[in-house]
Amino acid sequence: MQPLHIAGKTFRSRLFLGTGKFGSPAEMAQAVQASGTELVTVALKRVDRETDTDALLAPLRTASLGLLPNTSGARNAREAVFAAQLAREALETNWVKLEIHPDPKYLLPDALETLKATEALAKLGFVVLPYIHADPVLCKQLEGAGTAAVMPLGSPIGSNKGLRTLDFLEIIIEQSQVPVIIDAGIGAPSDAAKAMEIGADAVLVNTAIAVSQDPAAMARAFALAVDAGRMAYEARLAAAHDHAQASSPLTSFLKD
Amino acid sequence: MQPLHIAGKTFRSRLFLGTGKFGSPAEMAQAVQASGTELVTVALKRVDRETDTDALLAPLRTASLGLLPNTSGARNAREAVFAAQLAREALETNWVKLEIHPDPKYLLPDALETLKATEALAKLGFVVLPYIHADPVLCKQLEGAGTAAVMPLGSPIGSNKGLRTLDFLEIIIEQSQVPVIIDAGIGAPSDAAKAMEIGADAVLVNTAIAVSQDPAAMARAFALAVDAGRMAYEARLAAAHDHAQASSPLTSFLKD
Amino acid sequence: MQPLHIAGKTFRSRLFLGTGKFGSPAEMAQAVQASGTELVTVALKRVDRETDTDALLAPLRTASLGLLPNTSGARNAREAVFAAQLAREALETNWVKLEIHPDPKYLLPDALETLKATEALAKLGFVVLPYIHADPVLCKQLEGAGTAAVMPLGSPIGSNKGLRTLDFLEIIIEQSQVPVIIDAGIGAPSDAAKAMEIGADAVLVNTAIAVSQDPAAMARAFALAVDAGRMAYEARLAAAHDHAQASSPLTSFLKD
Amino acid sequence: MQPLHIAGKTFRSRLFLGTGKFGSPAEMAQAVQASGTELVTVALKRVDRETDTDALLAPLRTASLGLLPNTSGARNAREAVFAAQLAREALETNWVKLEIHPDPKYLLPDALETLKATEALAKLGFVVLPYIHADPVLCKQLEGAGTAAVMPLGSPIGSNKGLRTLDFLEIIIEQSQVPVIIDAGIGAPSDAAKAMEIGADAVLVNTAIAVSQDPAAMARAFALAVDAGRMAYEARLAAAHDHAQASSPLTSFLKD
């Protein structure tokens, strides 16, 4: 399979993981390892608190794992830029997952503030990966603003509803010059496989793994599904047909 | 992962392959090997013709691979029973994939003749795996008639439309005492993963692999997807939610 | 709009109503009237009980309304034929809605017993309307057995899930020589409209009307939706497109 | 049914019509009349050209019909504001359907420029109805900017794919303080009924009516479907169930 490149960094795994909602840091660490991921998001809030920082971050401090701090909790561009700067100092990385969601119920992203923050952060030298609505026009504007990738949502965060925005993700993928990473809503390995089959460059999964009965096994399941979907994309799936296409010969062997 | 048992035989791979529609016997053999499958269907018609039998069957004659002759082309129970008997002699197996479809356009199965043939073949000592509509009542009747498994369709053969019968497959899986193998219509690895996630015991794939640009790679993609779906089933997926569930903390870190 | 013909009888309304589950006979009668239906199903069980027969049947005894007794509760062909005969005497009609469902949880129909009963009842001079799975092959067999119409289900009875069997309903409609009436699962006027748009001849609705907060208003809503769908079918809908088709001119008026 | 109020104007019909793509002005006029609509959109471009202005506008100049000029063709806020001002003079109305879509292939709207133009036009005294992506956060921002309603898309313009944005439309409707009018993608009366059932205040339809074989009949079909969906919304639909809910009694009448 082809590797993925974002801002000069190469990824063999196209599965990114969120680290929230796990039962314990140990359970999280096992899932991260089982997934084979090379990039995990971390919420700055938790990093910020001295007490549990070590327990959370220690297992993530490995050579092969990139950290992607997110700005979750930021309600506008100003707060997000400030959060990104704090994260850069705390975690020594200029990568940032930009999340700006003023609405506490559905956690849906704010298009305007996200575009504004992307412009500001790109100018400040950040590698910006913004979480956004599956809005194809916005995606092109983010490209113009210097984003490193776009992260359109599949469905509301934590809903596990899968790719409800499919029609728009396909347009985004068709038009994008930067990697497209499907974020939010991916509730099962089949959703992750589907995202890769339509040509997404990567997926970010958190809730579906963290809250399953066996997070490490589920992480491994997602890793396989992402590879399956990517392989199928590279080997080109056939189109759906309206009529039956016989796999086996139609005319009776009895007549031959 | 738990192995699958059908009629006393154990399968580690839950992916079964059809052998029709491939560009060449070599391409088919490569796909079979890449898939890791332990059971492949073969159309009796082709076996019957002496000229190309060797080219077709030779690569399938391995210790680890079970052959499942199908009765494709049979239009009623009588023809199907006769075909199964020919296959038993030709291939030295009492396993049979029962296919009775009078309609040449959509190749949809005939419930009544299939039940009749299942009863007759079970009495004759066959291990019967019938291809049927996703009809939960019929599935229970086939169980009563001594079927070894049921093979409900996901969508019309060769349509690549995936699990259009999902609501009924879930009822079949809930009620079945024999393995449930989803057959027909599985057009992408994500479909195969989904089938396994809802608890299907195995899937049978042919068209989507055979007609792809790279059948061996596609076969491998399906193998990974089937494992992914099964792992997720065993690790239990979380349910879909109507509201957002934050992966990251909601309250602003700026306020802490 | 074209009228519907079944067994020599003409219907201007293509909405049939079930009479179960209503809060009271009066509420049921109001819904029947608001719907403009010309055919209602009645459960023989209730007809059979002398005490409430009058309250139930009195409002249905009008010149413009046909009664369609159903065999609900019958678990096999023998019981269904017996029930139909009782109904013929009690209600003085040779029309019968054939329902045979051995499974008390999902109430799914039994294909084999339904076909057997259809053959028997057609020979006895009944006008048979069988409730069945959306199985295209079975539908053609019922035609051969002398059925007056076929009544494939959209989704399990009372589930309100709509047309989950859409792919198969389309095949049934394409192939059928008798009227196709979609039964079970129609949960909203939009489902009824959709059924008519794809070419169904009529729909049967019960639960969605009977359990709504205002059954008469809901009955009227379904009547409008059925007409809307039928009109659209006769005026031919356009197909769905993959790309945008501008309704308004694309080139800027500023440049003209 | 409850009437709809937008900016102090009352509508009994909740179906708005686009006037593009019709075969002739006469065909368009017949469809408008058959639909019972009280508000139609007109592309300024055509109004602007003297030659066919009369043929187009004459049939729309009736007491009961409001004209809603759109800014189709505008690629940014500045162009859209200019177009709205031209339209106000030409058509003597301060209502405007705001359309800003820089992308000529999918005609998807530009969130940022639309918000900017809405703010400007509201200050200039316009009644603004913006066509937008189904982005719940943007909808609230438009409310803050003084919009009279929001017009989220169901699917790409002219695609006839229906309500692909359903999950997000439901959130928009739940949160909105201004009328929600579903625009774009509504391809069949069943789509329009569904939009109303989930609580949309109105729908705007153009392509599906204009390109059908019988536009006047199709317009009437949509009118019925919109009423059906609204009635059902007001009478409250029941929820979907996972298990069968018998309409008829389960226990056999033969046993009573």
Side-chain angles (χ1 to χ4, degrees):
Chain A
M1 285 183 293
Q2 299 155 356
L4 169 63
H5 304 286
I6 303 177
K9 200 166 169 181
T10 299
F11 298 88
R12 282 158 307 151
S13 166
R14 290 168 180 272
L15 172 61
F16 301 158
L17 244 64
T19 56
K21 287 190 176 180
F22 282 91
S24 69
E27 209 169 52
M28 182 266 283
Q30 286 159 14
V32 167
Q33 191 173 12
S35 74
T37 188
E38 293 160 308
L39 191 69
V40 296
T41 60
V42 288
L44 184 58
K45 176 180 174 174
R46 280 176 288 172
V47 173
D48 223 27
R49 288 174 162 168
E50 282 189 33
T51 41
D52 46 29
T53 300
D54 289 345
L56 178 79
L57 283 181
L60 301 175
R61 294 284 197 191
T62 73
S64 61
L65 199 57
L67 296 186
L68 182 63
N70 70 41
T71 64
S72 184
R75 292 159 308 183
N76 55 45
R78 194 183 51 75
E79 288 184 6
V81 169
F82 181 51
Q85 288 169 322
L86 286 181
R88 180 158 61 176
E89 276 182 55
L91 296 175
E92 296 171 343
T93 175
N94 63 342
W95 286 49
V96 63
K97 183 184 172 203
L98 184 56
E99 293 188 25
I100 304 179
H101 34 60
D103 162 30
K105 182 168 181 190
Y106 295 104
L107 301 175
L108 293 169
D110 182 321
L112 284 80
E113 295 293 318
T114 301
L115 179 57
K116 206 186 294 180
T118 298
E119 277 169 356
L121 289 167
K123 280 182 192 156
L124 291 167
F126 281 89
V127 173
V128 189
L129 294 89
Y131 160 64
I132 44 169
H133 205 79
D135 174 338
V137 174
L138 176 63
C139 285
K140 295 307 285 181
Q141 292 167 331
L142 288 164
E143 252 183 67
T147 199
V150 289
M151 304 188 74
L153 55 80
S155 46
I157 290 186
S159 73
N160 285 341
K161 286 188 176 179
L163 305 184
R164 297 297 175 97
T165 57
L166 183 64
D167 296 81
F168 301 93
L169 295 175
E170 289 176 336
I171 295 173
I172 290 169
I173 289 166
E174 176 193 333
Q175 298 181 337
S176 190
Q177 303 291 326
V178 295
V180 177
I181 304 160
I182 313 298
D183 185 17
I186 293 184
S190 55
D191 296 331
K194 177 79 179 171
M196 301 308 294
E197 287 162 6
I198 64 169
D201 294 283
V203 296
L204 172 58
V205 182
N206 187 348
T207 302
I209 292 173
V211 307
S212 80
Q213 291 203 344
D214 184 344
M218 192 59 82
R220 179 81 186 124
F222 271 94
L224 294 177
V226 166
D227 281 357
R230 180 67 194 182
M231 268 186 207
Y233 173 74
E234 293 185 8
R236 294 224 194 146
L237 284 168
H241 297 288
D242 267 341
H243 287 187
Q245 308 285 332
S247 308
S248 307
L250 286 184
T251 52
S252 173
F253 52 87
L254 298 168
K255 300 293 166 290
D256 286 351
Chain B
M1 285 182 293
Q2 299 155 357
L4 168 64
H5 304 284
I6 304 176
K9 200 166 168 180
T10 299
F11 298 89
R12 281 159 307 151
S13 165
R14 290 169 180 271
L15 173 61
F16 301 158
L17 244 63
T19 56
K21 288 191 176 181
F22 282 91
S24 69
E27 210 170 51
M28 182 264 284
Q30 285 159 13
V32 167
Q33 191 172 11
S35 74
T37 187
E38 294 161 308
L39 191 70
V40 296
T41 60
V42 288
L44 185 57
K45 176 180 175 172
R46 282 176 288 172
V47 173
D48 222 26
R49 289 173 162 169
E50 281 190 32
T51 42
D52 45 28
T53 300
D54 289 345
L56 178 79
L57 283 181
L60 302 175
R61 292 285 197 191
T62 73
S64 62
L65 200 56
L67 295 185
L68 182 63
N70 70 41
T71 64
S72 185
R75 290 159 309 184
N76 55 43
R78 194 183 49 76
E79 289 184 7
V81 170
F82 181 52
Q85 288 168 324
L86 287 181
R88 179 158 60 177
E89 278 183 53
L91 296 175
E92 297 173 340
T93 175
N94 63 341
W95 286 49
V96 63
K97 183 184 172 203
L98 184 57
E99 292 188 25
I100 305 179
H101 34 62
D103 162 31
K105 182 167 182 191
Y106 296 104
L107 301 175
L108 293 170
D110 183 321
L112 284 78
E113 294 294 317
T114 302
L115 179 57
K116 205 186 294 179
T118 298
E119 277 169 355
L121 288 167
K123 280 182 192 155
L124 292 167
F126 281 89
V127 173
V128 189
L129 293 89
Y131 160 63
I132 44 168
H133 204 79
D135 175 338
V137 173
L138 176 63
C139 286
K140 295 307 286 181
Q141 292 167 331
L142 288 163
E143 251 183 67
T147 199
V150 289
M151 303 188 74
L153 54 81
S155 45
I157 290 185
S159 72
N160 284 342
K161 286 188 176 180
L163 305 184
R164 297 298 175 98
T165 56
L166 183 65
D167 297 80
F168 301 93
L169 294 175
E170 289 177 336
I171 295 173
I172 290 169
I173 289 167
E174 176 192 332
Q175 297 181 337
S176 190
Q177 304 291 324
V178 295
V180 177
I181 303 160
I182 312 299
D183 185 15
I186 293 183
S190 55
D191 296 332
K194 177 81 179 171
M196 302 308 294
E197 286 163 6
I198 64 169
D201 293 282
V203 297
L204 173 57
V205 182
N206 188 348
T207 302
I209 292 173
V211 307
S212 80
Q213 291 204 345
D214 184 343
M218 192 60 82
R220 179 79 186 125
F222 271 94
L224 293 178
V226 166
D227 281 357
R230 181 66 194 184
M231 267 186 207
Y233 174 73
E234 293 185 8
R236 295 224 194 147
L237 284 168
H241 297 288
D242 268 341
H243 287 187
Q245 309 283 333
S247 309
S248 307
L250 285 184
T251 52
S252 172
F253 52 87
L254 298 168
K255 302 291 168 293
D256 286 352
Chain C
M1 287 183 292
Q2 299 155 356
L4 168 64
H5 304 285
I6 303 175
K9 199 166 169 180
T10 299
F11 298 89
R12 281 158 306 151
S13 165
R14 289 168 180 272
L15 172 62
F16 301 157
L17 245 63
T19 55
K21 287 191 175 181
F22 282 91
S24 69
E27 210 169 51
M28 182 265 283
Q30 285 159 13
V32 166
Q33 190 173 12
S35 74
T37 187
E38 294 160 308
L39 191 69
V40 297
T41 61
V42 287
L44 185 57
K45 176 180 176 171
R46 280 176 289 172
V47 173
D48 223 27
R49 288 173 163 171
E50 282 189 34
T51 42
D52 45 28
T53 299
D54 289 346
L56 178 78
L57 282 182
L60 302 174
R61 295 283 196 192
T62 73
S64 61
L65 199 57
L67 295 186
L68 182 64
N70 70 40
T71 64
S72 184
R75 290 159 310 183
N76 54 44
R78 194 183 50 75
E79 288 183 8
V81 170
F82 181 52
Q85 288 168 322
L86 286 181
R88 181 159 59 178
E89 278 182 52
L91 295 175
E92 295 173 342
T93 175
N94 63 341
W95 286 49
V96 64
K97 184 185 171 203
L98 184 56
E99 292 188 26
I100 305 181
H101 34 61
D103 162 30
K105 182 168 181 190
Y106 295 104
L107 301 175
L108 293 169
D110 183 322
L112 283 79
E113 295 293 318
T114 302
L115 180 56
K116 205 185 296 179
T118 298
E119 277 169 356
L121 289 168
K123 280 181 192 156
L124 291 168
F126 281 90
V127 173
V128 189
L129 294 89
Y131 160 64
I132 45 168
H133 205 79
D135 175 338
V137 174
L138 176 64
C139 285
K140 294 307 286 182
Q141 292 167 330
L142 288 164
E143 250 182 69
T147 199
V150 289
M151 304 187 75
L153 55 80
S155 46
I157 290 186
S159 72
N160 283 342
K161 286 187 176 180
L163 304 185
R164 297 296 175 98
T165 56
L166 182 65
D167 297 81
F168 301 93
L169 295 176
E170 288 176 338
I171 296 174
I172 290 169
I173 289 167
E174 176 192 333
Q175 298 181 337
S176 189
Q177 304 291 325
V178 295
V180 177
I181 303 160
I182 313 298
D183 186 15
I186 292 182
S190 55
D191 296 331
K194 177 81 178 168
M196 301 308 294
E197 286 163 7
I198 65 170
D201 294 282
V203 297
L204 173 57
V205 182
N206 188 345
T207 302
I209 292 173
V211 308
S212 80
Q213 291 203 345
D214 184 344
M218 192 60 82
R220 178 80 186 124
F222 271 94
L224 293 178
V226 166
D227 280 357
R230 181 67 194 182
M231 268 185 206
Y233 173 73
E234 293 184 8
R236 293 224 194 147
L237 284 168
H241 297 288
D242 268 341
H243 287 186
Q245 308 284 334
S247 308
S248 306
L250 285 184
T251 53
S252 172
F253 51 86
L254 298 169
K255 300 292 167 293
D256 286 352
Chain D
M1 287 183 292
Q2 299 155 357
L4 167 64
H5 305 285
I6 303 177
K9 200 166 168 180
T10 299
F11 298 89
R12 280 157 308 149
S13 165
R14 290 168 180 272
L15 172 62
F16 301 157
L17 244 64
T19 55
K21 287 190 175 182
F22 283 90
S24 69
E27 211 170 50
M28 182 264 284
Q30 286 159 13
V32 167
Q33 190 172 12
S35 74
T37 187
E38 293 160 309
L39 191 69
V40 297
T41 61
V42 288
L44 184 57
K45 177 181 174 172
R46 282 177 289 172
V47 173
D48 222 28
R49 289 173 163 170
E50 282 188 34
T51 42
D52 45 29
T53 299
D54 289 345
L56 178 78
L57 283 181
L60 301 175
R61 296 282 196 190
T62 73
S64 61
L65 199 56
L67 295 185
L68 182 63
N70 69 40
T71 64
S72 185
R75 291 160 308 185
N76 54 45
R78 194 183 51 77
E79 290 184 7
V81 169
F82 181 52
Q85 288 169 322
L86 287 181
R88 181 159 57 177
E89 277 182 54
L91 296 175
E92 297 173 340
T93 175
N94 63 341
W95 286 50
V96 63
K97 184 185 173 204
L98 184 55
E99 293 188 25
I100 304 179
H101 34 60
D103 162 31
K105 182 167 181 191
Y106 295 104
L107 300 177
L108 294 170
D110 183 322
L112 283 79
E113 295 294 317
T114 302
L115 179 57
K116 205 185 295 179
T118 298
E119 277 168 355
L121 289 168
K123 280 181 193 155
L124 291 167
F126 281 90
V127 172
V128 190
L129 294 88
Y131 160 63
I132 44 167
H133 204 78
D135 175 338
V137 174
L138 176 63
C139 285
K140 295 306 286 182
Q141 292 168 330
L142 288 164
E143 250 183 68
T147 199
V150 289
M151 304 189 73
L153 55 81
S155 45
I157 291 185
S159 72
N160 283 343
K161 286 188 176 179
L163 305 184
R164 296 298 174 97
T165 56
L166 183 65
D167 297 81
F168 301 94
L169 295 175
E170 289 176 336
I171 295 174
I172 290 169
I173 290 167
E174 176 193 332
Q175 298 182 337
S176 190
Q177 303 291 325
V178 295
V180 178
I181 303 161
I182 313 298
D183 185 14
I186 293 183
S190 55
D191 296 331
K194 177 78 178 171
M196 302 308 294
E197 287 163 7
I198 65 170
D201 294 283
V203 297
L204 173 58
V205 181
N206 187 348
T207 302
I209 291 173
V211 307
S212 80
Q213 292 203 345
D214 184 343
M218 191 60 81
R220 178 82 185 124
F222 271 94
L224 293 178
V226 166
D227 281 357
R230 180 69 194 182
M231 267 185 206
Y233 174 73
E234 294 185 7
R236 295 223 194 147
L237 284 167
H241 297 288
D242 268 341
H243 287 187
Q245 309 282 335
S247 308
S248 307
L250 286 184
T251 51
S252 173
F253 51 86
L254 299 167
K255 300 293 168 291
D256 288 352

